[in-house]
Amino acid sequence: MKRLFWILSIVTIAGCMDTAGEMAIDFNETGVGGSTARFSIAGDFLYVVNDSELQAIDISDERNPKHASSTSLGWGIETIFGYDGMLFIGGQTGMQIYGIQEDGSPVYVSDYTHSTACDPVIANDQYAYVTIRSGEFCNNIMEVNNLLVLDISNIRSPQLVAEIPMTNPRGLAFFKGDLFVGEGQFGLVRFSLEDPSFPRQKEVYDIPANDMIPLDNTLIITRDEGIFQFGCEEDELLLYSPLR
């Protein structure tokens, strides 16, 4: 019941490296969150970010969750994405990476600083993909709207390898072997990852999208009007149903 509860919670709201000598917790199939989610689950712990902190909550006992730790992250923290025992945290000044120790406590690994902007992030084995955008709540001094590609093969030293101009990028997701980036009212952009260090634009769908939750054959898209479910047939996205 605990696992089912967290699956439903994450889907509705949105989505081991030995860094400290004792990294051992892997992310499992408890739930799938979007790139703009503020919480993620690894093992028996729920990790939640607010504007300035990372909270770890022990959920091993579903009837009695316990606060385990608080970690200061600075200001403007927005999103969290869990992958391969790592927590990728997006904020208005950059991306931070934390590892997870055997007792569930997070430990700082590295960071990458960028221009002040709203900042979701997702990652795979070698690259982290970050969108930075201007907006009413993004504290920008200058207009900035880009897709950043960071080489994280050395997890302690992320390196920028590509910066791709966009209109107003928001959430992003891996789906069907490609990278999808929502641009709000400006649609949904699909990039080929044939060269993962430099995504190439493959398709632009006239589908408003703020964020995506990728499932096996379904892409759940969130936007201002609500949550919508799309199926993918070849390169075409077909509306299955709105989720109400």
Side-chain angles (χ1 to χ4, degrees):
M1 288 299 294
K2 177 187 71 175
R3 300 303 181 196
L4 178 59
F5 172 78
W6 293 117
I7 290 171
L8 294 175
S9 296
I10 292 178
V11 170
T12 301
I13 294 180
C16 282
M17 185 163 296
D18 187 10
T19 306
E22 53 181 357
M23 299 294 175
I25 297 180
D26 291 327
F27 285 82
N28 51 37
E29 298 301 320
T30 300
V32 179
S35 65
T36 58
R38 282 187 170 266
F39 56 90
S40 183
I41 292 175
D44 288 326
F45 289 85
L46 169 68
Y47 297 92
V48 183
V49 293
N50 58 28
D51 185 62
S52 61
E53 290 182 321
L54 169 61
Q55 308 284 344
I57 301 169
D58 185 340
I59 57 171
S60 57
D61 180 354
E62 69 269 25
R63 295 182 179 274
N64 187 30
K66 296 179 180 179
H67 181 267
S69 66
S70 297
T71 304
S72 178
L73 300 174
W75 66 274
I77 303 303
E78 297 178 322
T79 66
I80 184 170
F81 180 84
Y83 179 77
D84 195 27
M86 293 288 166
L87 299 170
F88 294 81
I89 297 168
Q92 293 183 10
T93 60
M95 175 192 72
Q96 301 182 44
I97 303 175
Y98 278 74
I100 302 172
Q101 300 185 94
E102 288 184 345
D103 64 357
S105 60
V107 58
Y108 171 82
V109 176
S110 61
D111 62 64
Y112 176 82
T113 302
H114 57 61
S115 303
T116 302
C118 291
D119 170 11
V121 55
I122 61 174
N124 58 25
D125 289 337
Q126 187 171 0
Y127 296 98
Y129 299 90
V130 180
T131 60
I132 57 175
R133 71 177 175 89
S134 300
E136 181 179 355
F137 303 106
C138 298
N139 293 313
N140 307 84
I141 297 177
M142 300 180 64
E143 188 81 9
V144 55
N145 292 283
N146 295 312
L147 169 65
L148 307 181
V149 183
L150 305 176
D151 186 338
I152 56 170
S153 54
N154 178 357
I155 198 70
R156 293 186 179 276
S157 182
Q159 300 294 318
L160 179 68
V161 294
E163 189 168 0
I164 301 168
M166 299 196 70
T167 303
N168 198 227
R170 298 165 185 253
L172 59 174
F174 300 120
F175 184 61
K176 296 297 183 181
D178 291 331
L179 174 67
F180 286 71
V181 181
E183 294 220 73
Q185 64 178 322
F186 299 106
L188 177 61
V189 183
R190 183 175 187 172
F191 291 92
S192 168
L193 291 179
E194 184 176 355
D195 177 1
S197 68
F198 197 94
R200 301 285 181 180
Q201 185 172 302
K202 183 176 180 179
E203 189 83 30
V204 179
Y205 300 98
D206 187 20
I207 299 172
N210 294 334
D211 198 12
M212 290 77 61
I213 300 172
L215 304 177
D216 287 342
N217 294 302
T218 305
L219 190 65
I220 297 175
I221 294 176
T222 65
R223 61 192 197 213
D224 293 347
E225 298 83 6
I227 303 174
F228 297 80
Q229 183 175 224
F230 285 81
C232 183
E233 295 184 9
E234 296 181 352
D235 286 340
E236 189 175 0
L237 289 179
L238 303 175
L239 178 64
Y240 282 174
S241 64
L243 303 178
R244 303 190 185 278

